[in-house]
Amino acid sequence: MNREVYGKLIFELSRPGSRGTRPVSDGAAFPKAELPADLTRSAAPALPELSEPEVVRHYTRMSTNNFGVDTGFYPLGSCTMKYNPKINDALSALPAMARLHPLAPDSDCQGALRAYWELQRSLSEIGGMAEFTLNPYAGAHGELTGLMIIRAWHDERCDKKRTKVIVPNSAHGTNPASAAVCGLEVVEVASLPDGTVDVEALRPLLDDTVAAMMMTNPNTLGIFESRIPEIAKMVHDCGALMYYDGANLNPMLGVARPGDMGFDVMHINLHKTFSTPHGGGGPGSGPVGVRAGMEHLLPAPRVVKQEDTDTFSVMREDPGSCGSVSPTLGNVGVELRALAYILTMGRDGLAMAGPLATLNANYVKESLRDVYKLPVDRVCKHEFVFDGLADKSTGVTTLDVAKRLLDYGYHAPTIYFPLLFHESLMIEPTETESRETLDEFIDVMRRIAAEALSDPDTLKAAPVNTPVGRPDDTKAALEPIVRFTK
Ligand SMILES: *Cc1c(COP(=O)(O)O)cnc(C)c1O
């Protein structure tokens, strides 16, 4: 790869006098526009000057700089970057759905409303919940919606003292953030060394000021929280509700349902588990489910099916709900991909996804544990965390390993999260990768571990094969250069 060309802006490639197309300078075809003098330029704009092939090559090169799950293995822990079958994209792009106006009359879009309703029913079945709303646009938005529902539930009981939300210290950062945005106070509960919630530390925190406990299961170390029934009972006994962060539902598919474990409210990240490509920050969808008896608190608008008929309508306002979180029924493109994914996988296909994701994660973990440090030595679910290299004497860090992986054509795993270890390296292979792909990745990870001993300087300088080397993260954040100056 020619870094000289790859790393350059189109302005830097510009050569004065180069031209692509030349406008016809026929005064008759382009009459001089009459514009007020104060609106016209005094000098020509500083546009880049290049020939047409140079422009085409520049933008085509840029398009190939993007790394996606369609170009390579993407083991980004906690993000579930699985392969997304193309038929789901095709179905979600059907003009009858993609071009539908969000306020179209119900009678004109019965098919679309049925699709929404079927997705609500499917997610309810998968999560073990009574009903779902599709409105939230992301996982964090779903958490906020779920906490609004929980607050409305306590308000209905005139129970105004409940202002605290208990969040494990291993939780995803969005959990405490959502609680704070909802106006609730965050109380942290400690984890045991394996990342599971410390039940003895939880006990004294539970009283009549607690609104809810938020949990992720499997937790951020990929370990299954086996004491959930006991925790749910303790939380319910004190009058609070259980919230399930189902952003990473992948390992649970076909194996277990949050509703059966005693959770009252949950969200699912459709853009992780249910087949929407989501690199680069979007698009997302974070549907929220509730157990029976809480359906009336779901936000409007929502789709309802008329009793005993096949007619669907949109309830646009509902004063008795938790409030509104979106003016539309949510992110349609992502929702339709999810429905297509669920229908094409079918019950049996979905039931294989979780176990296969678990098998793949354990295969990679067991194949690397002699050269990377495994802080929690248990069977994991969909993902696991190494605490850097086993041999720390070389000074090679998790950051160096992650950067070196880019040289070998892989997306880096999640690094320095969870915060429970200094050198966290969080790997999630997903169920869509073949044995051959996993073996190649294992080979490369072992080669990097060997390089750490034989050639640590190369690792410290990595990546050396990418268009951009190793930028100074801190400087880039503190002094971003967002404007080109010569
Ligand atoms: C990704 C994730 C979230 C947040 O989801 P967004 O769609 O990025 O807002 C919350 N919790 C967990 C465990 C996650 O992995």
Side-chain angles (χ1 to χ4, degrees), residues 78 138-140 143 172 174-175 216 245 247-248 267 269 271-272:
S78 191
E143 291 168 23
H172 196 268
T174 49
N175 289 190
T216 309
D245 178 341
N248 306 142
H267 83 267
N269 276 19
H271 49 292
K272 289 180 183 167

Side-chain angles (χ1 to χ4, degrees), residues 36 48 52 58 66 77 132 179 231 251 289 301 323 340 347 350 358 368 374 399:
E52 183 170 326
H58 173 73
N66 209 2
F132 259 82
I231 294 173
R347 186 181 286 269
L350 285 179
T358 297
L368 291 172
L374 184 64
L399 180 67

